[in-house]
Amino acid sequence: QLQASGGGLVQAGGSLRLSCAASGLAFSTYNMGWFRQAPGKEREFVAAIMRSTVSTYYADSVKGRFTISRDNAKNTVYLQMNSLKPEDTAVYYCAADRRYGSFWSNPVGVDYWGKGTQVTVSS
């Protein structure tokens, strides 16, 4: 249903663009988000974009460096990551959810998860 791609190895200060392609769901009716999980840590919220495409939300740790966007015609959500830091190293997961409000505050209830893509930032 959700296929994430675009991860890789990058030096600190570099950039990556993640993509998440959706299939088999009415993409434009879903709020979309990105989460990440570093080794030994819990999965954490990174960014979200609502079905309206107007409202976006970010974790404080990535605000000003990451940008989430979506293309409903391509059923795809993106995460542009700039000024990457070693602490951004994690597996990044995309999520699709139809709940109203801040769905990322209760990730257990997310409707669909992608399989994740590894991002490694070297110092």
Side-chain angles (χ1 to χ4, degrees), residues 16-29:
L16 281 175
R17 188 195 195 202
L18 305 184
S19 300
C20 176
S23 61
L25 55 85
F27 180 77
S28 64
T29 69

Side-chain angles (χ1 to χ4, degrees), residues 2-8 16-21 34 76-79 81 92 94 116-119:
L2 298 177
Q3 182 63 52
S5 62
L16 281 175
R17 188 195 195 202
L18 305 184
S19 300
C20 176
W34 288 94
T76 301
V77 62
Y78 305 96
L79 186 68
M81 305 186 294
Y92 283 71
C94 58
T117 184
Q118 176 71 47
V119 171

Side-chain angles (χ1 to χ4, degrees), residues 14 22 24 31 37 39 43 50 57 61-62 70 91 99 103 106 109-110 112 114-115 119:
N31 304 311
Q37 187 166 17
R43 190 172 298 189
M50 309 312 275
Y57 301 88
S61 59
V62 306
R70 66 190 293 166
V91 177
R99 289 173 290 175
F103 68 91
N106 183 18
V110 163
Y112 298 103
K115 286 192 175 180
V119 171

Side-chain angles (χ1 to χ4, degrees), residues 60-74:
D60 288 343
S61 59
V62 306
K63 205 170 292 184
R65 300 187 298 122
F66 290 11
T67 302
I68 188 171
S69 61
R70 66 190 293 166
D71 186 336
N72 287 345
K74 295 183 178 180

Side-chain angles (χ1 to χ4, degrees), residues 38-108:
K41 295 187 177 181
E42 293 186 353
R43 190 172 298 189
E44 65 175 3
F45 166 71
V46 175
I49 184 166
M50 309 312 275
R51 57 176 69 86
S52 68
T53 78
V54 174
S55 300
T56 57
Y57 301 88
Y58 298 92
D60 288 343
S61 59
V62 306
K63 205 170 292 184
R65 300 187 298 122
F66 290 11
T67 302
I68 188 171
S69 61
R70 66 190 293 166
D71 186 336
N72 287 345
K74 295 183 178 180
N75 289 354
T76 301
V77 62
Y78 305 96
L79 186 68
Q80 177 67 42
M81 305 186 294
N82 299 328
S83 302
L84 282 161
K85 304 175 181 180
E87 51 264 43
D88 294 319
T89 296
V91 177
Y92 283 71
Y93 299 89
C94 58
D97 195 276
R98 299 182 78 172
R99 289 173 290 175
Y100 289 94
S102 54
F103 68 91
W104 54 89
S105 62
N106 183 18
V108 173

